[in-house]
Amino acid sequence: MMNRNDLRRADINLLVVFETMMHERNVTRVSEKLFLGQPTISSALARLRLMFDDPLFIRSGRLMEPTSRAREIFSNLSPALDGIAAALSRCQAFEPATSEATFHIGLCDDVEYALLPDLLRHLRVEAPGTTLVVRRTDQWQVSQLLANGEISLGISPTLELPANARRKTLRPIRPMLLRADSQPGELTLDEFCRRPHAVVSSMGNVIDDSDRALCLMGRQRRVVLTVPQFSALPVLLAESDMIAIVPDYVAQAMAVVTGMRAQAAPICLPQHELSMVWRGASHNDPGERWLRSRCSALLAEQDDSQKRSRKVA
């Protein structure tokens, strides 16, 4: 058993390389993620093999498969590194105005389109030296991105999360109807079913909550287009009779920027929740806590008085 004095021989940088390799299983991807050259990663792996007296990773095609010894080390090492990161972060103050920190966050497509611009404007004023690295995520990917350490914060609908992850609900996601035609008034249920629909789905799904709600009523609609991101909708719906069901904040943002119309749908649709999730290891990090507070303040649903006060400010 290694004692505390033996820790002087340990290089924490090597342990970070080891943890990253356990996630990525590929020297090139580890190199890209850690911003280090491949020779540096190869050298670090050689030193790790000497340190632990084990091959650690065996090449299998394009991947490096961990040995049983590597898996055992990883099960103990990952929480230890989380603890070290948390301990060090408590010793560091965070000054937004002078910070040059880089934040890695994951955003679902609708948040990136409708809410990121407002967040970015405020961050550029309050913390102009910081860098925001945004990864596209969704309710299926956010858990893995957190577990891998590729993001420290995610904003998306969420499913199951890693055991040490934290979650905070930001706002309900209310479905709204988006249209670009000039026909006056709101659509009736018959018109809603008759019109061609566009669906936004990163997975290419044609059936969603609207179809399930219509099915319960003995009705159906006609989906003619599925696209992977919301930013495509304004151009695609323009000068057509196509309609789309989108989150309320997306519909309102598009109505302001593109002149499209956002209306209530003529059917009752379920509401989901937009959540902010983060790694337990970054819970007490001063910079991460500041970023979460800004996301919560700027992205959470606000009443009219709050919106007016922000515009005045």
Side-chain angles (χ1 to χ4, degrees), residues 18 73 297:
F18 173 80
I73 294 168

Side-chain angles (χ1 to χ4, degrees), residues 142-148 159-166 277-280:
V142 66
S143 179
Q144 189 63 42
L145 290 174
L146 283 173
N148 289 351
L159 300 173
E160 293 298 320
L161 295 173
N164 66 342
R166 308 291 185 96
V277 295
W278 61 96
R279 302 181 72 202

Side-chain angles (χ1 to χ4, degrees), residues 238-252:
E239 300 181 2
S240 81
D241 61 345
M242 268 197 305
I243 57 177
I245 296 295
V246 300
D248 55 330
Y249 43 86
V250 172
Q252 291 159 1

Side-chain angles (χ1 to χ4, degrees), residues 179-182 195-196 233-243:
R179 55 191 291 196
D181 63 276
S182 58
R195 287 281 194 97
L233 285 180
V235 174
L236 296 172
L237 268 61
E239 300 181 2
S240 81
D241 61 345
M242 268 197 305
I243 57 177

Side-chain angles (χ1 to χ4, degrees), residues 237-311:
L237 268 61
E239 300 181 2
S240 81
D241 61 345
M242 268 197 305
I243 57 177
I245 296 295
V246 300
D248 55 330
Y249 43 86
V250 172
Q252 291 159 1
M254 288 186 176
V256 170
V257 175
T258 67
M260 303 180 75
R261 285 189 289 166
Q263 299 177 345
I267 56 173
C268 183
L269 295 170
Q271 293 184 16
H272 300 285
E273 290 184 340
L274 182 65
S275 298
M276 177 170 65
V277 295
W278 61 96
R279 302 181 72 202
S282 64
H283 181 66
N284 291 309
D285 181 280
E288 295 286 343
R289 292 182 66 177
W290 173 82
L291 178 63
R292 293 196 301 269
S293 72
R294 302 316 297 141
C295 289
S296 182
L298 295 169
L299 304 186
E301 187 174 50
Q302 300 173 347
D303 59 31
D304 290 341
S305 62
Q306 289 175 302
K307 292 176 182 178
R308 285 194 297 271
S309 65
R310 273 180 51 196
K311 288 179 180 179

Side-chain angles (χ1 to χ4, degrees), residues 97-118:
T98 57
S99 174
E100 297 182 353
T102 297
F103 297 107
H104 295 261
I105 68 174
L107 301 179
C108 56
D109 179 51
D110 50 334
V111 169
E112 183 181 322
Y113 178 85
L115 303 178
L116 177 60
D118 194 24

